[in-house]
Amino acid sequence: MRNLYFVLLAVLLLVALTATLIRFYLRHRRSAETSWQDLVHRLVWIDRDAIATIALDAVTEEGELRPHGDCFALDSGVIWNLLGGLEGLEVIERNCQVLVELAAYLQRFYPEALVVAEQLRLNAREIEWHVSRLKGAAQTGNLEASFANYAQRAVVIYYMMTRHVLTLYDQAQFPGLAELQQAI
Amino acid sequence: MMHLTGFDLFAWAGGFIGHVVLLFVLLVRGRARSFPFFTAYIAEQILSTSVAYFIFYHDPFRVYQTSFWGFEGLEEILQLCVFYEIALHVFRPTGVWAQDVKKTLLSLVAVSVVVDALLTWLAQPETPRVIQRIVLRSNLFAALLMSELLVGMVVLSATVGLPWKTHVSRIAHGVGIYSIVSVAVFITDNFIGIHRGDHTGREIERFRYLVYLVCEVYWIVMLWAEAPAPRELPAAMKMQIYTLNRQVENDLRRIRTWRQH
């Protein structure tokens, strides 16, 4: 009987490991074959003006925190409307992944871009964390209390990420900069 | 003395020649600097094959068994070092551990050890001698651990969005495929056990040797080839990129510490 349990569990584990390995290998291959155009097309439209309004309520164009008394004028309801609620944040979350891949794409040709790509990756993880906190708050009925704080942080990080990706492409003198500016 | 078949000699010689060529590639193409543990693993394979061959024909079988055990232990340790080396390449993209993976990686190791210990405890192969049972179970444990760690690392790197460089991904492909095949072989071995006059286990083992030989050839070809050449950035642009990196880093730090109202 014990031997039977062993075989069942071991074979299940083996199948799971093999399937996972194949799935991620295929995903990696698809990602390696992705062209720059494909990446840009994966960016989902989001109201840039709304993003800038929310972000610039907290930071300056240069990313410095605004002085006390000159910031955080937008309340929770306004931020919610400008963003389009949690759906808007989910779009930001998905776009962040594309921004990270755009930085990684440049890194294929210019390894020096690695440091920026890694930093942008950490920014994207931070946004994921904020969005997951908000989703958790939505489930427990505390969304209103947390929304302004976490959502605005996520938007500021996203706003700065878009600017940094554009700067990175500009510095590398990449030919598709104008198209990227339009898409972002 | 144990009788060696034509296939045994072929696998022995093929593996040995493959390792010598692979070591030559690692040294000549300068990969040994980036992958010292993998190089040490290949060197250990050459040494163990040579010593085992000499002892097999010149010393009592008991001496051969003792040396076999010694090298098996060393091989397991080096395999774990190779895993660590792959993790260093993937999860330390800028020379320091990526902040968001260290805990997950340690959890992966801990969970893998527990799952493997449980499965190894469940396995009860029937064997004429106790030592054979220990061999079968320890082989299973080692193969399970390597394959789980490799698969876990692939999933983790994809989840957090860390890319794999050319050569480290080639080494991992070989290690991953060989480990998965080894798990399949050792599950079968532990299930059927060892019985006098029954050579099923030995036949299955041959398949594992063949897969390893294919992996050796794959490593030789892939590690001989150069990774795609990067474009050279002017010094001024490099400086701009490092400045940009500091900006991105500072932005995140500022945003994390802000206090609203």
Side-chain angles (χ1 to χ4, degrees), chain A residues 74-141:
Chain A
L74 300 177
D75 64 26
S76 197
V78 177
I79 295 175
W80 176 275
N81 287 334
L82 283 169
L83 261 181
L86 268 182
E87 289 80 14
L89 272 178
E90 282 168 357
V91 170
I92 285 181
E93 194 182 14
R94 281 198 295 276
N95 278 358
C96 269
Q97 290 307 322
V98 184
L99 292 181
V100 173
E101 286 181 48
L102 278 166
Y105 182 86
L106 204 63
Q107 182 202 321
R108 287 186 210 169
F109 310 103
Y110 302 107
E112 289 85 354
L114 167 75
V115 281
V116 181
E118 172 58 9
Q119 206 56 53
L120 288 172
R121 191 188 67 78
L122 290 176
N123 284 12
R125 297 278 289 164
E126 187 97 357
I127 290 179
E128 273 175 31
W129 185 79
H130 288 313
V131 176
S132 70
R133 287 287 292 256
L134 285 171
K135 283 179 181 167
Q139 280 172 354
T140 53

Side-chain angles (χ1 to χ4, degrees), chain A:
Chain A
M1 196 63 181
R2 188 162 143 181
N3 224 12
L4 186 69
Y5 282 134
F6 159 69
V7 172
L8 274 176
L9 288 175
V11 169
L12 267 178
L13 181 65
L14 179 64
V15 170
L17 287 175
T18 311
T20 311
L21 202 60
I22 292 172
R23 186 177 154 226
F24 277 86
Y25 174 71
L26 293 176
R27 186 171 140 178
H28 173 72
R29 256 185 60 172
R30 270 199 306 275
S31 154
E33 287 164 4
T34 304
S35 69
W36 189 81
Q37 297 285 349
D38 293 336
L39 280 177
V40 173
H41 287 148
R42 272 178 49 204
L43 282 167
V44 179
W45 182 88
I46 190 161
D47 188 346
R48 269 183 286 183
D49 293 337
I51 296 292
T53 307
I54 298 169
L56 295 176
D57 177 51
V59 295
T60 62
E61 289 275 356
E62 291 73 35
E64 297 288 339
L65 285 179
R66 287 192 176 280
H68 194 67
D70 188 26
C71 58
F72 304 124
L74 300 177
D75 64 26
S76 197
V78 177
I79 295 175
W80 176 275
N81 287 334
L82 283 169
L83 261 181
L86 268 182
E87 289 80 14
L89 272 178
E90 282 168 357
V91 170
I92 285 181
E93 194 182 14
R94 281 198 295 276
N95 278 358
C96 269
Q97 290 307 322
V98 184
L99 292 181
V100 173
E101 286 181 48
L102 278 166
Y105 182 86
L106 204 63
Q107 182 202 321
R108 287 186 210 169
F109 310 103
Y110 302 107
E112 289 85 354
L114 167 75
V115 281
V116 181
E118 172 58 9
Q119 206 56 53
L120 288 172
R121 191 188 67 78
L122 290 176
N123 284 12
R125 297 278 289 164
E126 187 97 357
I127 290 179
E128 273 175 31
W129 185 79
H130 288 313
V131 176
S132 70
R133 287 287 292 256
L134 285 171
K135 283 179 181 167
Q139 280 172 354
T140 53
N142 295 321
L143 184 59
E144 203 178 333
S146 323
F147 191 79
N149 190 19
Y150 291 118
Q152 195 164 16
R153 280 175 205 260
V155 171
V156 171
I157 297 172
Y158 176 71
Y159 176 74
M160 299 312 296
M161 277 179 80
T162 56
R163 294 174 67 87
H164 292 317
V165 169
L166 288 173
T167 311
L168 186 65
Y169 270 74
D170 184 30
Q171 286 173 355
Q173 295 174 345
F174 199 80
L177 181 64
E179 196 180 339
L180 187 61
Q181 273 170 332
Q182 278 189 331
I184 284 180

